[in-house]
Structures are given as C-alpha cells and as structure tokens.
Amino acid sequence: MRIAGLVAASLLVAGCLAGCSDSTGGQAHPTALTPITPSRSGSSTSATTTTSTLAAPPTGVPIAQAIKWIEAAPPVDAARYHVALRGGVTADLGDDVAFTTPAGTTCMTDAKHSAPGLACLVNLTDPPKQPPDVYGQWKGGWVDFDGGTVLVGSAHGDPGRFANGRGAELPLDKSLSFGDFRCRTDSDALYCVNYAHQSAVRLADSGVDTYACAQQVTPPAGIGVEYVC
C-alpha cells in the first residue's frame, strides 16, 4: 500500500512539472493558463444590439416591420406633452398632444376643432408647389396624417392648432403613444404609426415617405399631394 501511494504521488508531481511549468536554466517558471469560456450558441457582440439601435426600416417593407422598429424605442411619459409653449405662455391642450423632434418637426393633434389625426410642420427642402387654384397662405410642409390618408401641403388662413406654439421635444430614439398613434424619432426623421389603419409615415426635411400608404391619388382642392392607405 505504501509503495502504491509513493508511485501515485511521484506521477502527480511529474505530471505537474510537465504541464504546469517550463524549465529554463534549471529553474521552474509557472506557465500562464488561458481559461476556456464555454461557447453559447448564437451569442456574439452583435447579439446585444437591439431593435431600438438599428437603422430605421426603409419604406416599402411590410408594415409589421416598421411597427416593430417604432415600438422598440423606450416610451416617454405622455403627460408632459399635453401643453404647448409660445412666447413664454403655456397653453393646456387637454387630451391633445404636442411635440417637437430633434430635427425640428413640430406636431400636434386637435381633436376638438378638426378631424382626429396628427398634423406636423416639416421643414421640407422641396415642398409641393402651391396649386394655381389655391389662395391664401400656402404651407407646403404641413402634413396631415389620420391613418387613412397622408396629405402634404395645404392652405391655411391662420396658424390653426399651431397658434398654441410648440410642444416639448421628443428625445432621440424615444417613442410617444397617444390615441391610435405611436411616434418615434431618430437623428433626422419622425416615424409615426396609426394602429387603427395599420399604416405609418416617415417625416423628414428630405421628404415624406409612407408605409402601407403607397397609392398616390389626385388630391382634393387645396392639397398638394395625397396618399391613400
């Protein structure tokens, strides 16, 4: 029994010397051991990237894809978007909402005085031209989106709902829900979905694009461009 124990101990020491150290000049130096991390199926640094940080889907993709991207942005508290500010005066909008994007687009609802829907003033670089039969103040960057139609460019005798001013800024890559709508910002555009009609728009200075509203029709009098969802 003692002989077997001595042999086992000798083998253990020999194994450690062979696998745990290098010999240089008769001195033993510890060998650095690299820990082995168990691999995880499907995991990588790119897997930590969430939908909220991905680029916005291009127009023409299925509406479900656009909605998924909009919903991926963390929501903000809608309570702070029920007021508008103009010249230092705050207007209480009641159930309506008002907000401004980091890119400068201003949006507001006005369910009390007009058809339910979202109106936005976009600084379009190439807005629709004023039709020859339209008189009054033409606002080529005025966009109305009620889920069923997208109207770009219209005549207004007064600022309308925007007489109350502008709403608080909707932060970058955050989303705001109100009524049938949910809107999300990115660095240069605003994306809004209407759940009732399963349609969405992208509003940017470079232009107005639509999701599930690709049919362009002859607009009614006083409107520059109309899309039907």
Side-chain angles (χ1 to χ4, degrees):
M1 294 295 293
R2 292 184 58 189
I3 294 175
L6 290 174
V7 171
S10 300
L11 291 174
L12 179 62
V13 171
C16 182
L17 290 176
C20 302
S21 65
D22 294 329
S23 179
T24 304
Q27 297 181 353
H29 300 278
T31 299
L33 300 179
T34 303
I36 299 175
T37 303
S39 61
R40 297 181 180 180
S41 177
S43 65
S44 66
T45 54
S46 61
T48 60
T49 302
T50 64
T51 307
S52 63
T53 60
L54 296 177
T59 55
V61 301
I63 185 63
Q65 186 174 339
I67 292 175
K68 181 179 179 181
W69 183 82
I70 292 172
E71 292 179 340
V76 297
D77 183 3
R80 65 186 298 257
Y81 295 95
H82 291 299
V83 297
L85 183 66
R86 182 183 181 90
V89 178
T90 300
D92 185 350
L93 302 178
D95 293 332
D96 285 310
V97 301
F99 61 91
T100 302
T101 72
T105 294
T106 298
C107 298
M108 193 177 296
T109 63
D110 188 17
K112 299 176 184 177
H113 305 99
S114 61
L118 181 66
C120 297
L121 293 177
V122 188
N123 300 315
L124 295 176
T125 56
D126 187 22
K129 300 295 187 287
Q130 180 172 343
D133 58 343
V134 172
Y135 302 94
Q137 187 173 6
W138 177 253
K139 295 185 180 296
W142 185 303
V143 180
D144 284 300
F145 175 51
D146 63 5
T149 59
V150 182
L151 307 177
V152 185
S154 51
H156 299 269
D158 56 60
R161 68 189 73 187
F162 296 105
N164 290 318
R166 300 161 62 95
E169 182 176 289
L170 178 57
L172 187 68
D173 286 325
K174 295 293 190 294
S175 64
L176 171 65
S177 296
F178 52 97
D180 291 329
F181 294 88
R182 184 164 181 170
C183 295
R184 172 184 176 169
T185 60
D186 71 2
S187 60
D188 60 2
L190 172 70
Y191 301 79
C192 293
V193 58
N194 180 280
Y195 289 104
H197 292 271
Q198 290 292 288
S199 59
V201 293
R202 175 186 182 274
L203 308 179
D205 292 359
S206 58
V208 176
D209 297 303
T210 65
Y211 300 88
C213 304
Q215 183 181 358
Q216 185 173 349
V217 299
T218 301
I223 301 298
V225 177
E226 179 180 7
Y227 295 94
V228 176
C229 303

